[in-house]
Amino acid sequence: MGTAAAGSAFDADALRRAVEGRDTRTMLELYADDAEYRMIDRNTQPSHPMVRHGRDEIRGVLEDVFSRDMTHKLEECVVQGDHIAYVESCEYPDGTRVFASSMATLRDGRITEQTTVQAWDE
């Protein structure tokens, strides 16, 4: 996994701990107060993505995802300047898999805008 680029305070190790430990509190600390989170998937397609503004709204998304009985693994993480990209894979106990790819903009080491595209087994 990549680490923070020179001059960036983004904590890629905290991202790994939060994702793999399903830790909402640690994950929320990686977002700016005014962050925007956009999710695109089968249910929230590109023309009508799910959009959440600010940590309080983002908290609800994270609590939902991390409360599910599934494993989370941070597969890749690249931080370059004021951008981060990461890939997460998840698996439910029945073998159903989920794959998510995220791209985000950083300000002062925190996520300000993030777009996640996810797909899952059906």
Side-chain angles (χ1 to χ4, degrees), residues 2-14:
T3 57
S8 172
F10 185 80
D11 190 345
D13 291 327

Side-chain angles (χ1 to χ4, degrees), residues 9-61:
F10 185 80
D11 190 345
D13 291 327
L15 175 65
R16 178 178 294 285
R17 288 190 309 274
V19 167
E20 294 183 355
R22 302 177 355 183
D23 183 345
T24 300
R25 186 181 62 79
T26 299
M27 191 74 178
L28 275 175
E29 291 174 2
L30 299 174
Y31 289 89
D33 292 337
D34 61 345
E36 179 180 278
Y37 179 85
R38 181 180 307 112
M39 171 69 73
I40 299 168
D41 60 24
R42 182 174 185 255
N43 297 325
T44 56
Q45 296 179 2
S47 60
H48 300 290
M50 176 194 71
V51 179
R52 299 294 182 261
H53 297 97
R55 282 186 179 166
D56 287 340
E57 290 185 15
I58 294 169
R59 176 185 292 113
V61 173

Side-chain angles (χ1 to χ4, degrees), residues 3 7 46 49 56 72 88-89 91 107 110-111 113:
T3 57
D56 287 340
H72 297 257
E88 180 180 353
S89 64
E91 187 171 353
R107 180 181 67 231
R110 292 214 166 119
I111 297 169
E113 295 179 354

Side-chain angles (χ1 to χ4, degrees), residues 69-80:
D69 183 17
M70 63 192 316
T71 61
H72 297 257
K73 182 175 181 187
L74 188 64
E75 298 286 347
E76 301 283 338
C77 179
V78 177
V79 181
Q80 185 172 355

